[in-house]
């Protein structure tokens, strides 16, 4: 008798893969296992749930203890064995470095956490020997580390990712940096290559804009979440989950008030110093900024997370008759914008003009001579408008001839000159979409996240809340039709292998 496949799920407060496991179990004869990375209150639900038949669950944070002396020999051996650079994971974890407002991690603490994570992952993988690891595009370092470890061990990764720029489309990949596209795939696969459909771009933009608006939580919901947090403060979480170290009740309240005040002040200052009516007739190179702390740069452009340095490098590499337009991301308010010192460092560069975040990004792309990004959707926008682009991080669309990749900073001036001379084929964007076509499926990840926030989070924000069996059942019933395509897409891959 053929052995049943063994499926390892990454389960967390997103509840995407808990939902997937629920719908998948009735259509796939397999053994389900899970690693749970979640707060203490929803953890109780997963400890007692009976909606999904898991053979075994491991609770991630139960296995990460304080004050454990790290074994450097073990970590060095692991790095050598798998060819993984552990400091790259650690220094691009927003809780460990630069972005943590509550706690400063020491080197020994970071190494200790890394060692305990790796030992847990190796123990699990050796014990159950999974055939598949089901996850989504990693947000935190430990999720990315496990994904990369599975790939090194030959375990098939099924990572669910938004197909950026393509309306309501999602894709399952092993490598989020490339969508598993290889450089010779254009030669191997016949593509239709019709002219770009700009209407498709506009519909994606509308969906994304609605999502950004939903992330700007109104003040009343913030008060609800803060009230529930204060009335039911979870002191256990501060000691049991390293992402909550230092988050005392007083610090959280003070930070929430300071954050909101700084966000308003920073935005007002940005309005004063940014250009709302840029001259679109000037020859300009366009750099749309990314949002700090996002996986888009932390995981896929880890050596280019300092955007001011990236902007300086571009500014000193463009031809003398060009200016560099830099626009702050319209959703940067999620991270309270930047302070005036940060923006002044950009404005002080003589050939750089800081553009107001409310200026239409699409307008700036299609009137530019060249678009340069760390990583993001603007390269695809450029392709649709037949504008060449350069990307610093790894991105799936860089497989196309009109998207250039930065291999070294010293070569950037010549790369910019080459890109400016390049003529974009008007069918190129459609060729890219055709390459992905048979792997894409309809699933609105933005809408799912909004539903999750509304159904399971206090004030649509606070994730550390109790979840009942009835509450989860209602949530799953609500999303049944939504998940049909995702389940089918997974089964298509599993049954093919």
């Amino acid at each position: 008798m053929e052995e049943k496949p063994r499926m390892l799920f990454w389960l967390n407060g997103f509840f995407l893969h808990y939902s997937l496991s629920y719908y998948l179990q009735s259509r796939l004869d397999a053994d389900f296992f899970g690693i749970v990375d979640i707060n203490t209150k929803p953890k109780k639900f997963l400890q007692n749930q009976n909606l999904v038949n898991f053979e075994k669950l491991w609770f991630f944070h139960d296995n990460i203890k304080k004050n454990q002396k790290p074994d450097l020999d073990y970590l060095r051996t692991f790095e050598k064995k798998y060819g993984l650079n552990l400091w790259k994971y650690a220094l691009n974890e927003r809780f460990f470095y630069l972005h943590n407002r509550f706690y400063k991690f020491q080197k020994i603490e970071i190494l200790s956490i890394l060692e305990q994570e790796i030992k847990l992952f190796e123990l699990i993988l050796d014990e159950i020997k999974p055939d598949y690891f089901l996850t989504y595009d990693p947000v935190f370092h430990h999720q990315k580390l496990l994904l990369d470890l599975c790939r090194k061990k030959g375990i098939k990764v099924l990572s669910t990712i938004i197909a950026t720029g393509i309306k309501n489309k999602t894709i399952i990949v092993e490598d989020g940096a490339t969508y598993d596209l290889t450089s010779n795939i254009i030669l191997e696969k016949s593509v239709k290559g019709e002219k770009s459909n700009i209407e498709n771009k506009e519909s994606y933009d509308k969906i994304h804009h609605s999502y950004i608006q939903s992330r700007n939580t109104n003040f009343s919901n913030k008060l609800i979440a803060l009230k529930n947090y204060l009335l039911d403060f979870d002191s256990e979480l501060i000691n049991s989950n390293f992402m909550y170290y230092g988050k005392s009740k007083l610090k959280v309240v003070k930070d929430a008030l300071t954050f909101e005040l700084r966000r308003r002040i920073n935005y007002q200052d940005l309005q004063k110093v940014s250009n709302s009516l840029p001259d679109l007739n000037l020859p300009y190179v366009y750099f749309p900024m990314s949002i700090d702390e996002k996986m888009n740069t932390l995981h896929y452009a880890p050596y280019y997370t300092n955007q001011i340095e990236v902007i300086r490098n571009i500014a000193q590499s463009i031809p003398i008759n060009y200016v560099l337009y830099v626009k702050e991301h319209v959703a940067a308010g999620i991270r309270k914008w930047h302070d005036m010192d940060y923006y002044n460092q950009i404005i002080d560069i003589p050939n750089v003009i800081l553009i107001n975040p409310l200026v239409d990004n699409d307008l700036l792309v299609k009137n530019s001579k060249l678009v340069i990004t760390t990583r993001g959707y603007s390269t695809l926008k450029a392709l649709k408008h037949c504008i060449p682009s350069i990307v610093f991080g790894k991105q799936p669309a860089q497989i196309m001839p009109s998207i250039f990749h930065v291999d070294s900073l010293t070569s950037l001036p010549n790369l910019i000159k080459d890109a400016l001379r390049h003529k974009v084929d008007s069918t190129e964007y459609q060729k890219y979409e055709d390459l992905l076509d048979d792997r894409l499926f309809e699933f609105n990840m933005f809408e799912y996240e909004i539903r999750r926030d509304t159904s399971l989070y206090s004030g649509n924000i606070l994730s550390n809340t109790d979840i009942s069996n009835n509450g989860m059942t209602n949530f799953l019933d609500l999303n049944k039709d939504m998940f049909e395509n995702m389940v089918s897409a997974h089964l298509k891959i599993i049954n093919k292998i």
Side-chain angles (χ1 to χ4, degrees):
M1 182 181 291
E2 189 175 335
E3 239 183 85
K4 290 192 289 186
R6 301 165 77 80
M7 325 292 288
L8 177 62
F9 292 84
W10 186 263
L11 306 173
N12 61 6
F14 197 29
F15 287 104
L16 183 74
H17 279 79
Y18 180 81
S19 301
L20 176 63
S21 66
Y22 173 79
Y23 303 117
L24 196 58
Q25 67 181 350
S26 62
R27 296 177 59 181
L28 179 67
D29 184 20
D31 290 329
F32 286 9
F33 303 85
I35 300 177
V36 181
D37 175 14
I38 206 161
N39 295 341
T40 49
K41 291 180 180 176
K43 174 185 172 183
K44 296 171 188 173
F45 162 75
L46 286 167
Q47 285 174 320
N48 300 305
Q49 69 84 36
N50 56 12
L51 300 174
V52 182
N53 182 24
F54 289 105
E55 300 294 323
K56 187 172 182 179
L57 293 177
W58 289 266
F59 290 87
F60 175 78
H61 290 285
D62 288 354
N63 293 274
I64 311 298
K65 308 297 184 184
K66 279 187 171 183
N67 304 317
Q68 302 294 307
K69 185 178 179 181
D71 182 346
L72 281 173
D73 288 335
Y74 172 81
L75 293 172
R76 185 170 61 247
T77 301
F78 177 86
E79 275 195 330
K80 185 177 180 181
K81 181 178 179 181
Y82 294 106
L84 298 173
N85 182 355
L86 292 176
W87 275 120
K88 186 171 75 170
Y89 295 93
L91 295 183
N92 287 289
E93 171 55 72
R94 67 179 190 238
F95 289 100
F96 287 165
Y97 178 59
L98 287 181
H99 305 296
N100 193 329
R101 303 189 300 274
F102 298 95
Y103 188 83
K104 181 176 174 59
F105 280 87
Q106 301 301 312
K107 175 184 173 183
I108 193 169
E109 292 178 294
I110 295 171
L111 294 175
S112 174
I113 291 169
L114 284 172
E115 181 188 344
Q116 293 178 77
E117 291 170 347
I118 292 166
K119 285 184 174 177
L120 173 65
F121 295 155
E122 289 202 300
L123 181 149
I124 294 170
L125 298 181
D126 289 344
E127 178 180 332
I128 67 172
K129 296 180 172 53
D131 299 293
Y132 300 93
F133 175 49
L134 292 83
T135 184
Y136 64 94
D137 209 11
V139 177
F140 302 118
H141 80 278
H142 46 285
Q143 188 182 354
K144 181 72 165 63
L145 179 57
L146 176 58
L147 185 153
D148 290 343
L149 179 58
C150 285
R151 294 187 66 204
K152 292 287 185 179
K153 283 178 165 286
I155 298 164
K156 179 69 175 176
V157 171
L158 303 179
S159 181
T160 304
I161 295 181
I162 297 171
T164 305
I166 305 174
K167 180 189 176 185
N168 282 351
K169 297 294 185 180
T170 300
I171 190 169
I172 300 169
V173 303
E174 284 206 67
D175 185 356
T178 65
Y179 288 4
D180 309 330
L181 296 174
T182 57
S183 57
N184 59 352
I185 194 170
I186 298 176
L187 298 174
E188 293 175 351
K189 186 172 180 179
S190 173
V191 291
K192 291 172 285 193
E194 298 171 357
K195 193 172 180 180
S196 298
N197 182 359
I198 301 300
E199 293 301 317
N200 182 58
K201 176 277 305 175
E202 290 174 348
S203 56
Y204 175 85
D205 280 359
K206 288 176 183 176
I207 291 168
H208 189 255
H209 177 72
S210 296
Y211 169 73
I212 294 300
Q213 291 297 107
S214 75
R215 297 288 288 163
N216 290 321
T217 311
N218 63 49
F219 191 67
S220 62
N221 275 345
K222 290 178 181 179
L223 283 178
I224 291 170
L226 185 60
K227 180 193 76 173
N228 290 340
Y229 172 82
L230 292 174
L231 292 176
D232 196 14
F233 181 69
D234 190 350
S235 58
E236 179 189 344
L237 199 58
I238 299 177
N239 296 311
S240 64
N241 186 327
F242 62 79
M243 293 187 280
Y244 285 81
Y245 286 2
K247 288 189 175 182
S248 67
K249 188 184 293 190
L250 180 61
K251 279 186 179 180
V252 169
V253 173
K254 183 180 178 182
D255 180 77
L257 296 173
T258 304
F259 186 97
E260 188 62 30
L261 179 62
R262 288 309 316 171
R263 190 172 74 87
R264 292 168 185 250
I265 292 172
N266 289 343
Y267 183 71
Q268 290 169 1
D269 288 342
L270 178 58
Q271 295 305 303
K272 295 173 186 175
V273 300
S274 58
N275 188 326
S276 297
L277 294 169
D279 186 347
L280 301 178
N281 295 313
L282 282 177
Y284 67 88
V285 173
Y286 175 45
F287 179 78
M289 294 176 66
S290 301
I291 305 176
D292 284 346
E293 304 179 43
K294 297 289 279 186
M295 64 182 175
N296 216 27
T297 51
L298 293 177
H299 291 326
Y300 298 120
Y303 301 104
Y304 301 105
T305 56
N306 186 329
Q307 293 193 86
I308 290 178
E309 287 304 312
V310 171
I311 291 166
R312 286 196 186 107
N313 284 318
I314 298 170
Q316 63 184 318
S317 302
I318 61 176
I320 193 67
N321 58 320
Y322 280 76
V323 293
L324 177 61
Y325 282 180
V326 173
K327 187 173 90 76
E328 176 64 285
H329 199 290
V330 70
I334 294 170
R335 303 283 188 241
K336 77 174 185 304
W337 307 99
H338 291 99
D339 58 30
M340 270 306 298
D341 178 65
Y342 187 97
Y343 292 127
N344 280 333
Q345 289 185 67
I346 297 173
I347 295 166
D348 286 346
I349 305 172
N351 58 343
V352 172
I353 296 174
L354 181 63
I355 308 298
N356 190 285
L358 297 180
V359 174
D360 183 11
N361 190 44
D362 196 57
L363 189 69
L364 291 166
V365 168
K366 69 183 180 183
N367 285 281
S368 69
K369 303 300 181 186
L370 173 67
V371 173
I372 304 180
T373 70
T374 48
R375 192 178 188 269
Y377 172 39
S378 292
T379 52
L380 287 179
K381 281 195 174 198
L383 204 58
K384 289 176 181 178
H385 289 296
C386 296
I387 304 295
S389 61
I390 292 174
V391 62
F392 282 87
K394 291 182 179 179
Q395 185 156 322
Q398 74 187 51
I399 191 175
M400 306 310 294
S402 298
I403 299 178
F404 299 77
H405 183 258
V406 178
D407 293 318
S408 73
L409 290 176
T410 55
S411 67
L412 185 58
N414 287 332
L415 190 65
I416 288 174
K417 290 183 180 72
D418 290 343
L420 285 168
R421 287 192 295 264
H422 181 80
K423 300 298 181 185
V424 181
D425 184 338
S426 62
T427 67
E428 206 167 307
Y429 172 78
Q430 193 58 48
K431 286 180 180 178
Y432 169 70
E433 200 168 303
D434 289 345
L435 289 173
L436 301 175
D437 187 56
D438 62 349
R439 297 164 56 205
L440 297 172
F441 59 93
E442 191 154 321
F443 183 86
N444 189 336
M445 194 77 77
F446 301 130
E447 174 62 25
Y448 168 79
E449 186 172 341
I450 293 168
R451 290 186 185 188
R452 185 277 316 263
D453 292 350
T454 304
S455 300
L456 302 177
Y457 283 10
S458 172
N460 300 350
I461 307 171
L462 185 63
S463 61
N464 193 29
T465 55
D466 292 312
I467 297 174
S468 66
N469 233 46
N470 285 339
M472 181 57 72
T473 301
N474 291 336
F475 178 68
L476 293 168
D477 289 344
L478 172 69
N479 296 320
K480 182 178 179 181
D481 292 340
M482 188 182 205
F483 269 83
E484 178 60 33
N485 290 331
M486 183 182 287
V487 171
S488 297
H490 280 82
L491 290 173
K492 179 181 175 182
I493 295 172
I494 294 165
N495 293 331
K496 187 177 180 181
I497 294 174

